[in-house]
Amino acid sequence: MSVKEQTLAWLSELPDDSSAWTGLHEEARLLRAITVAEEDVRAGRERPLEEIKHLMEAKWDQRRSKSA
């Protein structure tokens, strides 16, 4: 039995109202987000923090000028 199959078997044994589901859900969501982020980095779809700061400042400056 693979690790995935064993894990799914254990999960299927948990009652639907088990408090463990919330923690498992959050951990799986975090691991999925990390995997996606790592793929973005490998594929060159990331930007340096300073560039993002500049883009966000420009965006908020534009919004402020429209509301004024």
Side-chain angles (χ1 to χ4, degrees):
M1 183 179 284
S2 72
V3 173
K4 180 180 178 179
E5 291 169 331
Q6 182 65 58
T7 303
L8 291 172
W10 290 335
L11 291 175
S12 70
E13 294 172 5
L14 278 175
D16 288 348
D17 60 350
S18 172
S19 61
W21 284 114
T22 301
L24 290 167
H25 176 80
E26 290 302 314
E27 189 166 341
R29 194 168 66 116
L30 175 62
L31 291 173
R32 183 173 181 256
I34 289 169
T35 300
V36 169
E38 288 173 339
E39 177 56 34
D40 285 345
V41 169
R42 281 191 293 278
R45 294 187 296 261
E46 84 289 349
R47 293 186 179 184
L49 180 58
E50 289 304 315
E51 181 181 344
I52 297 301
K53 285 181 180 178
H54 175 73
L55 289 171
M56 293 305 295
E57 287 171 1
K59 180 179 178 177
W60 281 104
D61 286 345
Q62 186 178 33
R63 284 186 178 186
R64 283 186 203 107
S65 67
K66 285 182 180 179
S67 65

